[in-house]
Each structure stands twice: as C-alpha cells, then as structure tokens.
Amino acid sequence: MTDRKPPGVTFESWVDRQIREAAERGEFDDLPGAGKPLAHENRPYHEMWWIREKLEREGLSSLPPSLVLRNELHEALDAARLAPTEALLRTRLAEVNARIDAALRRPIDGPPLGVAPVDVEAAVAEWRRARPS
C-alpha cells in the first residue's frame, strides 16, 4: 500500500516518483501480456469494455436465458445440417430438444421462449435429401 501524498508536494510529481521507484524495483517486469498487442484494440470504444471482456472471459451471457436458448437452437440446427453422420445429427437435436422441453416445463427468465422442440425425423429427412448420394 502506498503512503499518503505528503503536503506541499504536487500530486503529479508524487505519482511520477512512485511509478519511477516501482519501475526501478522491477515491479512492472513480467506483467501478463507483456510484449503482446492490446486485446480488442481494433474494436470501437465502448465505455463498458471491461464488462464485455469479463463476460467473454468467464463464458457468461448478458442475454436472458430464453434468448440464449433460442440462439442455442439456431446454432444446433446449423451444426446438425453439417453433421457428418446421422447419429451425430440425432444427438445434437436430442440435446437441444431436452433443453427446450425443460424450459417449457419450467419457464425460464426473459421474453417468451417462442420455440418448440425440433421434429427430429423431419430434420433427418431433410439432412438425407441435402446429402449427395
């Protein structure tokens, strides 16, 4: 912990002296990210940038659970269309259907869910039609 600013010393010179002394002691050596470019330096500035970074780092979402589930459904459908095997297609759709069923039985926070479980057999038939013979 640093000392309080002594009376009669300008704030700037007091801070500059503390930084210089810390640098001389090597307290700024081997900091995480040293020598690397700043993360997200090409993004437009946002005043809550640190919250966005924490959400990304922690794998959290700022969306309500019902909207997260809608996004998961769309991602699962996209992934299912690209599934290399029918078994993987069925597994992916079964997982998202289980989450949708749970949300319909016990409503989750956010706007209305507005989705129903995926018809797996119809999705499999579409997947088969889209595959080259």
Side-chain angles (χ1 to χ4, degrees):
M1 184 85 176
T2 60
D3 298 326
R4 296 189 72 148
K5 180 181 86 59
V9 176
T10 65
F11 183 76
E12 184 174 352
S13 63
W14 179 67
V15 170
D16 289 338
R17 182 177 52 96
Q18 286 187 321
I19 292 172
R20 181 182 45 76
E21 290 173 356
E24 289 170 357
R25 288 190 303 267
E27 293 184 21
F28 298 126
D29 298 343
D30 299 324
L31 291 174
K36 297 179 185 174
L38 295 174
H40 312 300
E41 67 180 321
N42 295 329
R43 282 189 184 175
Y45 177 75
H46 188 276
E47 62 184 19
M48 302 296 242
W49 62 268
W50 61 276
I51 293 176
R52 285 184 175 179
E53 286 188 11
K54 177 142 179 88
L55 289 173
E56 287 176 15
R57 193 171 50 248
E58 304 278 331
L60 302 173
S61 174
S62 59
L63 291 175
S66 62
L67 296 182
V68 170
L69 185 53
R70 283 188 203 174
N71 288 342
E72 288 177 10
L73 172 62
H74 293 297
E75 290 172 6
L77 290 173
D78 290 341
R81 285 185 193 97
L82 301 174
T85 65
E86 184 177 325
L88 186 57
L89 166 80
R90 289 180 181 275
T91 300
R92 288 178 176 166
L93 294 179
E95 289 170 358
V96 76
N97 276 348
R99 300 222 23 194
I100 291 171
D101 286 337
L104 292 174
R105 279 193 305 277
R106 174 178 255 166
I108 54 179
D109 292 337
L113 186 58
V115 296
V118 178
D119 182 353
V120 176
E121 295 308 318
V124 168
E126 181 182 329
W127 178 82
R128 286 180 183 156
R129 278 193 302 272
R131 303 219 11 117
S133 298

